[in-house]
Amino acid sequence: MATQAVISGNGDQRRTLVIIFLRGAADGLALVPPVGDDHFHRARPRLAAAAKDGVRLDGHFGLHARMRPLESAWRDGDLAIVHACGMEDDTRSHFEAQDLMEHGGVAAGGWLGRYLRTRPPAVAGALACVAVGKALPECLLGAPTASVMQSFEDFTLGGGTPAFRTQLERLYAMERGRLGAAARDTFDALVRIEALRTSPRPPDHGAVYGRDEFSAGLARLAQLIKADVGLEAASIDLPGWDSHFAQQGQVESLAGRLAEGLAAFRRDLGRRMATTTVVVMTEFGRTVEENSAFGTDHGRGSAMLVLGGGVAGGRMHGVWHGLAPDKLERRGTLDGYGDLPVLNNYRNVLSSVLARHGANPANLAVTFPGFTLDPLNLFA
Amino acid sequence: MRPTRRQFIAAGTGAILATGAGCGRAGDDVRRRIGLPTHRPLEGDLTPPGAPEIDPISHVLNRLTFGARPGDHRRVAAMGVPAFIEEQLAPDRIDDRVCDRVIRRGFDHLEDPRSSLLPRDAGAPDPLARMFPALDHQSTRVGELYEFKDKTLLEDLSRATLLRAVLSERQLLEVMVQFWTDHFNIDPSKGESRWLKAADDRDVIRAHALGDFRMLLRASAVSPAMLWYLDGRVNRRAGSGDRPNENYARELLELHTLGVHGGYTQQDVLEVARCLTGWTVRDRKRFLRGRVEFVERLHDDGPKRVLGHEIPAGLGAGDLDRVLDIVAAHPATARHLAWKLCRRFIADEPPETAMAAVAAAFTAAGGSIPAALRALFATPEFNAPATRAAKFKRPFHYVVSALRATNARTDASRDVLDALVRLGHAPFRWATPDGYPEEATHWQNTLLWRWNFATALVGGRVRGSTVDAADLKEKLGGDDALMATVLGRRPSEAERVAYHQSGSGLALLLASPAFQSC
């Protein structure tokens, strides 16, 4: 542990934020169905039928049946849900919406990158920020440091002798700009991960992770958190939610992966969940009505999940107006069209979370420029 | 892999036709080289670049190809940069028989069944189709792909893509194939795209990559793989309550033509979707699987209004071409494509004046892709010294350029594909319709895996790919010549020192900062 303390500095005092992005526009009405609303059943005669097998959260909302592994987090008060979430821009383009949302509006760099660059204290360790996957997500653009990682084992300089590494480091040290910075991050991260690899730890408290890529990513994040390497922010994607066609099986499988992964992560971290917050978000929701192909098309509002220590959980947060036709957002001129409106801006969820992680008003203003924040009170 | 019907046919007719149809001209030298793994022998004048910075010759090689091979700099110097650009803009006139043979030999099933085994002059009637008219039927050509295991097909398609990028003399064509593959991205993991993407690659992307944009767009719109990938096949109006499926219509406007700020409205998306209702593809449970057809009764035949143009009721299948005419000719489409082309060939944040010149040339030439590129390569911005060596290679470009620079012998098999997966840039693996990102910012955190590929390749740890560093150095004429060949310029003093002290000079060059850029 002495080695890790040197690596991390005071890493164990840090909180860790994990952002899970459901790419492809997850259907919030399938994940957190308003089962007590007759309009829901009317708009989705075929798709809504499955909701009766789900978890009853309160008198009005349920949780998708495959999300049952998260029921205990809800009952323990560690899971809060905000429905009708999204952004003010009504683009229904996945890419534009993800881009806008991850940039935190029309702004240079990503919101999480800007947060990390401006939050006190200004010094970030090389492993302060990890993106699980193959590439850096837009939300981390501009982060003082960010490492892309698929597995610890791969995070080594294969076959290179010390001389090779020394010479390579020398050449990159002469590089200015982004390439030089990326190389320095890479060399720093190499050193830290090598230390982690020498003392691998199995999941704690009997947690069992699935074999899918998403769960494996969460398991590695848990290892980094438990090893006190100073991880402050991490991102991981769960893609594949664009359910235009026969969505039932697709949503079931993804909802299962999401909930099982999160439940294992929560169990594995145990009391460390007190300093960890997980946010689940997506670019926009889907049409209230099902389409002719048993799917749903691009809509507006979806649900956000916030899981972690100190969360005022076990209840819904934010504004909700129901699905009565006059409460829906109209678009186009054809009859019967309406979308769940965005009643809760995603920034008001994220800013509440960032405040919990130590953000002050000044750096929240830099994180979400051009927007008057009105953070929800997601923490007790 | 079991033989296809076509191979039976070919076996039967081969004896009659094959020897007389042009195989003889290829010569023994080619036959010797078609075994996998393969590369070209180092021959001719291999004089390396001599300038201390990237010169105009290395610059066009960096941007128009997937990296210079030993000897390329000398060849382009001899013919001149303008002649090289014109050569690359007319790929049909380039003799590419080594690459063609390698693909034909290893990947016969990816080729057009009408012509692959029996070479013929362009435009001449297909001898096989003359004997078996059914082969001319689109569904037969596409349906045959279903005979393969989907994973085999995808791996073969990826390998063929990689091999072509490494071996082909038609380098700009391969670069543009990648460009349009991203532009009209299809992730074959969705539905029957897993078989049909191979037809899309052959009949849409490769057929039109350096052709006419309107034809490319039309081919893509009715590509069976695209109809699967963006749900066009289930976009229908069977009853009055049916909503159209907007998926393809939206991406057509947002990604394929006008661009997200091209001035269309949500209502336009809906109207385009209505125009395209009824186009579908027969799935594999049905006879003539893979066949694209227009089903009149699933078409919404009412009047529509798209981008201010009235489309009268009753046009049926004709709605499709009306829509494509409108969007292809829209000024926002020329601007959108010019932006993407300039981003690929000039800089991640391309200069306005260059984009305007490319858009104007594209429009003036009626959507000719070579005309747009010719204008692009003539812009002062493309030719400015500050543009040179300033673009970060995407990982596919990086890997292929390493194989080309070292004249590696490769079969493009599993290890190389695995490296590309690790680098996040394996062919046909991008899930969303926007295609792999172009900008450096997306790729900069892949450095470690680039370094690892460099050491593995030179160290002989990439199975199926070998580099003979000693032979390369000897043929090029020593360390300095090797450095200049790989870097496209004379090495700096720091690079020379690092090369000699690293213990593996060639790997160090491939891992060095300079080799990451083009």
Side-chain angles (χ1 to χ4, degrees):
Chain A
M1 289 314 283
T3 321
Q4 284 161 355
V6 171
I7 291 166
S8 63
N10 61 351
D12 56 348
Q13 292 168 12
R14 288 258 164 78
R15 294 178 187 277
T16 306
L17 173 59
V18 179
I19 301 294
I20 296 174
F21 208 106
L22 311 180
R23 292 193 193 272
D27 185 8
L29 292 172
L31 297 180
V32 187
V35 287
D37 189 332
D38 285 346
H39 294 292
F40 175 62
H41 300 276
R42 242 171 266 151
R44 296 185 169 194
R46 295 170 293 197
L47 292 180
K52 70 176 187 316
D53 302 326
V55 181
R56 292 301 287 237
L57 293 180
D58 57 19
H60 195 73
F61 287 100
L63 202 57
H64 192 285
R66 295 292 302 275
M67 306 258 282
R68 195 172 292 280
L70 288 178
E71 185 179 5
S72 62
W74 175 269
R75 305 276 172 236
D76 296 347
D78 285 348
L79 173 64
I81 299 175
V82 190
H83 221 310
C85 263
M87 62 181 167
E88 65 287 1
D89 194 293
D90 69 351
T91 179
R92 286 175 178 80
S93 148
H94 294 297
F95 320 108
E96 196 175 31
Q98 289 180 18
D99 209 61
L100 277 170
M101 195 173 255
E102 292 188 82
H103 285 237
V106 183
W111 66 267
L112 192 47
R114 282 194 305 275
Y115 163 72
L116 290 170
R117 198 170 277 289
T118 58
R119 62 97 186 82
V123 184
L127 272 186
C129 180
V130 166
V132 176
K134 295 167 189 162
L136 201 64
E138 294 284 312
C139 71
L140 284 172
L141 289 184
T145 171
S147 307
V148 177
M149 185 179 66
Q150 281 181 280
S151 82
F152 299 147
E153 288 68 31
D154 300 326
F155 221 95
T156 55
L157 187 53
T161 59
F164 184 86
R165 183 159 162 172
T166 305
Q167 294 307 321
L168 197 61
E169 220 166 335
R170 260 193 57 229
L171 283 187
Y172 277 95
M174 288 182 249
E175 285 294 313
R176 300 191 189 288
R178 286 194 304 237
L179 184 58
R184 279 188 291 283
D185 280 353
T186 305
F187 284 116
D188 284 351
L190 269 176
V191 171
R192 280 155 178 77
I193 296 274
E194 275 158 18
L196 247 192
R197 286 174 69 240
T198 58
S199 55
R201 297 168 56 161
D204 289 325
H205 314 113
V208 178
Y209 288 95
R211 295 163 55 105
D212 57 285
E213 212 176 309
F214 175 68
S215 290
L218 284 177
R220 283 193 295 277
L221 287 180
Q223 277 185 278
L224 286 175
I225 291 169
K226 290 187 292 181
D228 291 325
V229 295
L231 183 69
E232 287 185 75
S235 79
I236 178 167
D237 287 353
L238 182 53
W241 295 85
D242 196 14
S243 53
H244 287 277
F245 174 73
Q247 78 170 32
Q248 203 132 312
Q250 182 180 358
V251 171
E252 265 175 24
S253 134
L254 289 167
R257 245 182 282 168
L258 174 65
E260 285 155 27
L262 282 179
F265 182 75
R266 176 171 178 255
R267 183 172 193 143
D268 185 4
L269 284 186
R271 60 174 184 80
R272 282 179 178 273
M273 275 306 284
T275 51
T276 305
T277 313
V278 180
V279 176
V280 180
M281 63 196 292
T282 189
E283 66 264 33
F284 47 71
R286 311 195 67 86
T287 47
V288 173
E289 278 183 314
E290 62 196 23
N291 67 22
S292 55
F294 298 83
T296 50
D297 290 306
H298 301 184
R300 291 282 281 120
S302 190
M304 283 177 82
L305 275 54
V306 179
L307 173 73
V311 171
R315 64 187 184 89
M316 305 293 295
H317 287 258
V319 183
W320 175 259
H321 291 156
L323 298 181
D326 63 326
K327 302 292 184 194
L328 298 182
E329 188 172 307
R330 317 292 301 176
R331 67 159 164 154
T333 54
L334 294 195
D335 284 344
Y337 280 45
D339 290 333
L340 176 63
V342 170
L343 302 173
N344 303 291
N345 192 286
Y346 73 103
R347 298 179 185 83
N348 290 329
V349 177
L350 294 176
S351 54
S352 168
V353 172
L354 291 179
R356 161 84 176 174
H357 284 248
N360 57 39
N363 85 294
L364 281 181
V366 178
T367 303
F368 297 113
F371 182 82
T372 309
L373 287 171
D374 182 15
L376 296 173
N377 289 313
L378 294 174
F379 293 85
Chain B
M1 186 187 310
R2 68 195 171 93
T4 66
R5 180 173 57 255
R6 172 155 42 92
Q7 284 164 327
F8 283 119
I9 295 169
T13 56
I16 310 165
L17 295 173
T19 46
C23 290
R25 233 163 51 84
D28 286 345
D29 57 328
V30 172
R31 280 205 199 95
R32 259 201 340 264
R33 287 174 217 158
I34 60 177
L36 299 172
T38 194
H39 68 161
R40 287 167 192 278
L42 290 177
E43 54 196 13
D45 186 348
L46 300 177
T47 308
E53 302 291 340
I54 295 293
D55 63 15
I57 297 164
S58 285
H59 179 55
V60 291
L61 284 165
N62 272 344
R63 299 291 169 96
L64 274 67
T65 78
F66 280 116
R69 277 181 318 211
D72 278 358
H73 189 276
R74 183 72 209 118
R75 187 175 79 85
V76 176
M79 73 195 295
V81 167
F84 175 69
I85 290 173
E86 285 307 316
E87 173 201 273
Q88 289 296 317
L89 285 172
D92 289 348
R93 293 206 288 270
I94 298 174
D95 178 352
D96 202 18
R97 73 182 78 149
V98 172
C99 179
D100 286 348
R101 299 249 155 188
V102 167
I103 298 299
R104 238 176 242 159
R105 184 178 184 277
F107 308 93
D108 173 51
H109 48 294
L110 301 178
E111 292 282 285
D112 189 330
R114 292 175 307 177
S115 59
S116 63
L117 292 177
L118 304 172
R120 63 197 160 98
D121 296 331
D126 186 323
L128 264 192
R130 240 183 4 244
M131 298 171 68
F132 303 94
L135 281 179
D136 246 355
H137 202 282
Q138 184 243 7
S139 66
T140 315
R141 300 173 51 226
V142 171
E144 190 173 74
L145 292 166
Y146 286 92
E147 292 172 23
F148 295 87
K149 274 188 157 162
D150 56 342
K151 289 206 165 53
T152 308
L153 202 54
L154 177 61
E155 183 172 327
D156 284 353
L157 188 59
S158 305
R159 289 183 59 203
T161 299
L162 196 53
L163 276 174
R164 281 168 161 143
V166 173
L167 291 175
S168 179
E169 300 289 346
R170 298 165 180 149
Q171 280 288 300
L172 181 59
L173 175 70
E174 294 305 322
V175 166
M176 290 306 292
V177 162
Q178 188 182 60
F179 178 87
W180 296 119
T181 300
D182 281 328
H183 188 81
F184 294 103
N185 186 60
I186 291 173
D187 179 349
S189 66
K190 182 166 175 180
E192 294 180 17
S193 308
R194 68 195 63 197
W195 294 282
L196 298 169
K197 175 59 200 177
D200 183 87
D201 186 66
R202 176 188 71 201
D203 300 336
V204 180
I205 306 295
R206 296 194 154 273
H208 302 286
L210 274 175
D212 174 82
F213 179 72
R214 174 65 175 77
M215 285 171 72
L216 172 61
L217 189 66
R218 175 62 153 79
S220 172
V222 293
S223 165
M226 189 59 90
L227 284 162
W228 268 96
Y229 179 58
L230 289 179
D231 301 317
R233 72 186 184 95
V234 292
N235 176 25
R236 60 194 165 213
R237 182 182 161 97
S240 58
D242 268 356
R243 297 183 35 194
N245 188 306
E246 299 173 357
N247 207 8
Y248 175 75
R250 180 180 308 281
E251 309 310 4
L252 173 69
L253 296 177
E254 173 184 331
L255 299 173
H256 300 168
T257 59
L258 278 69
V260 70
H261 299 299
Y264 61 91
T265 64
Q266 294 307 315
Q267 189 66 27
D268 286 322
V269 171
L270 229 150
E271 295 286 290
V272 168
R274 289 180 61 215
C275 287
L276 304 183
T277 46
W279 284 95
T280 191
V281 51
R282 297 170 78 96
D283 67 29
R284 66 189 167 127
K285 297 190 203 77
R286 302 175 67 197
F287 179 58
L288 293 177
R289 57 195 174 175
R291 177 156 113 172
V292 171
E293 52 195 16
F294 176 73
V295 184
E296 192 86 49
R297 72 188 158 73
L298 298 179
H299 182 65
D300 177 346
D301 221 7
K304 296 114 185 162
R305 187 180 171 83
V306 172
L307 294 161
H309 299 262
E310 303 293 345
I311 297 181
L315 291 187
D319 279 1
L320 170 66
D321 279 303
R322 289 297 290 271
V323 165
L324 296 184
D325 283 340
I326 293 167
V327 298
H330 198 284
T333 298
R335 282 196 302 272
H336 180 57
L337 294 175
W339 169 68
K340 285 191 82 168
L341 286 169
C342 289
R343 204 179 51 154
R344 168 61 182 81
F345 288 103
I346 300 179
D348 285 356
E349 285 173 24
E352 278 297 334
T353 46
M355 288 192 281
V358 173
F362 177 83
T363 305
S368 156
I369 297 163
L373 288 173
R374 189 175 286 115
L376 192 159
F377 300 142
T379 59
E381 292 85 355
F382 174 79
N383 293 294
T387 302
R388 297 175 197 157
K391 249 187 94 69
F392 194 59
K393 288 174 188 169
R394 300 198 300 175
F396 181 91
H397 190 155
Y398 171 74
V399 165
V400 173
S401 64
L403 293 167
R404 284 172 63 82
T406 55
N407 197 38
R409 192 181 273 277
T410 186
D411 62 2
S413 59
R414 193 64 59 83
D415 274 14
V416 186
L417 290 180
D418 282 353
L420 285 169
V421 169
R422 166 62 30 74
L423 284 155
H425 200 200
F428 317 115
R429 307 280 178 94
W430 183 258
T432 50
D434 50 347
Y436 280 110
E438 177 66 36
E439 299 89 338
T441 46
H442 180 88
W443 301 109
Q444 243 147 8
N445 281 287
T446 56
L447 278 177
L448 179 65
W449 291 297
R450 293 170 186 242
W451 302 340
N452 282 347
F453 181 77
T455 56
L457 176 66
V458 176
R461 282 176 285 105
V462 178
R463 274 167 301 172
S465 302
T466 52
V467 169
D468 189 340
D471 180 63
L472 189 63
K473 185 169 97 176
E474 189 200 313
K475 290 220 167 82
L476 290 171
D479 289 313
D480 278 9
L482 175 62
M483 283 185 260
T485 299
V486 171
L487 297 174
R489 57 161 169 75
R490 291 208 313 266
S492 69
E493 195 46 41
E495 285 164 339
R496 194 175 279 117
V497 169
Y499 172 91
H500 286 292
Q501 295 189 356
S502 65
S504 177
L506 184 54
L508 185 99
L509 291 178
L510 300 180
S512 73
F515 198 73
Q516 310 312 314
S517 297
C518 65

